[in-house]
């Protein structure tokens, strides 16, 4: 029983990364209709940004946790203004190809400068120990990551559901044409929403740096699974993406324990099953982006 609970906790921690990344992808897709393939590269830049901030500037983890996502927010605004916006009126395939190419450019730029070997990033000293959870001890940093993911997802959900700004963004995300028809300038919210999604990916990268190998391909290894999470949750559904992120994290972790032969394919088997029963995903709408 202890092993089962510990594996569930491992899954929730992994699911926290899925949820943060899927949240950004869902918001960007819902508002812009852009399948942002570069999301994994922004995740990688977040982790590398934390590593470089420490190695070159001596910036501690707690400062990097705010500074790096802020820089990626600015990068996201720049990319949306100069590249994404120009292709938005055309077939979504153009922006998909653009973000795919952007991924290759960013990955190769980092590989050219720092190679493909993983770079170490130490855990903050305050979170280097373990916490007694009652039935087992668990690394304090992983507990912090899970708590941060839950708090961030809850905070974003509250902003989206309890504030006027959130109401406009949510409406523009889930029903952009109808929102525009009601007189809301959807385009005004596009740049900050895209940048916010990029910043969330960067924040997830900073959180991942002390846990995972910091290397140029760390985002490429994760982005396909995150796309599957977004599809399972429902394209454009913020709530569905977050819930699916945590659920898939737990399912994968338990799968690794009980059916290790399917550890690499379990998420896609779940996705296929969900799509057979609900083609729009668990919380998606049939008419979304048809």
């Amino acid at each position: 029983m202890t092993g089962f609970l510990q594996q569930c906790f491992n899954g929730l921690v992994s699911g926290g990364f899925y949820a943060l990344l899927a949240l950004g992808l869902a918001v960007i897709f819902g508002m812009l209709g852009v399948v942002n393939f570069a999301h994994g590269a922004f995740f990688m830049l977040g982790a590398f940004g934390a590593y470089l901030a420490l190695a070159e500037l001596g910036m501690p983890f707690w400062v990097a946790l705010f500074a790096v996502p802020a820089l990626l927010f600015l990068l996201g605004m720049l990319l949306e203004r100069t590249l994404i916006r120009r292709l938005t009126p055309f077939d979504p395939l153009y922006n998909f190809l653009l973000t795919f190419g952007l991924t290759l450019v960013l990955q190769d730029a980092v590989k050219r400068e720092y190679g493909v070997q993983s770079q170490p990033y130490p855990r903050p000293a305050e979170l280097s120990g373990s916490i007694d959870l009652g039935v087992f001890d668990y690394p304090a940093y992983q507990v912090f990551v899970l708590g941060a993911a839950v708090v961030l997802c809850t905070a974003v959900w509250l902003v989206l559901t309890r504030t006027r700004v959130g109401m406009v963004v949510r409406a523009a995300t889930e029903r952009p044409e109808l929102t525009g028809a009601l007189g809301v300038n959807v385009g005004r919210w596009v740049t900050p929403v895209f940048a916010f999604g990029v910043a969330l990916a960067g924040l997830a990268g900073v959180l991942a740096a002390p846990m995972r190998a910091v290397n140029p391909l760390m985002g490429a290894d994760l982005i396909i699974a995150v796309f599957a999470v977004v599809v399972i949750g429902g394209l454009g559904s913020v709530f569905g993406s977050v819930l699916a992120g945590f659920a898939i994290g737990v399912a994968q972790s338990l799968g690794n324990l009980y059916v290790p032969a399917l550890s690499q394919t379990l998420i896609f088997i779940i996705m296929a099953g969900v799509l057979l029963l609900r083609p729009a995903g668990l919380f998606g709408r049939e008419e979304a982006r048809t």
Side-chain angles (χ1 to χ4, degrees), residues 82-186:
T82 57
L83 298 175
I84 302 293
R85 176 169 296 194
R86 294 175 183 273
L87 297 180
T88 300
F90 304 108
D91 191 304
L93 180 62
Y94 286 95
N95 260 324
F96 174 79
L97 293 175
L98 171 66
T99 55
F100 180 73
L102 191 59
T103 299
L104 298 180
V105 170
L106 292 174
Q107 286 179 352
D108 284 352
V110 175
K111 277 195 289 188
R112 181 184 177 87
E113 191 69 25
Y114 302 100
V116 295
Q117 288 191 333
S118 298
Q119 307 294 337
Y121 188 86
R123 296 184 181 190
E126 300 85 351
L127 300 174
S128 59
S130 299
I131 294 177
D132 184 1
L133 297 180
V135 290
F136 54 83
D137 291 341
Y138 205 76
Y141 185 76
Q142 272 85 334
V143 176
F144 167 75
V145 167
L146 176 58
V150 171
V151 169
L152 281 168
C153 291
T154 304
V156 172
W157 179 77
L158 288 175
V159 169
L160 289 176
T161 57
R162 303 297 173 86
T163 68
R164 177 172 174 78
V165 170
M167 182 185 68
V168 173
V169 171
R170 188 157 48 94
T173 297
E174 298 180 358
R175 300 290 183 92
E177 294 84 4
L178 179 60
T179 306
L182 293 174
V184 176
N185 184 1
V186 176

Side-chain angles (χ1 to χ4, degrees), residues 17-27 39 226 229-230 237-238 241-242 245:
F17 290 112
Y18 286 151
L20 287 175
L21 289 168
L23 177 61
L25 269 183
V27 171
H39 216 60
V226 175
V229 167
V230 173
S237 170
V238 171
S241 298
V242 171

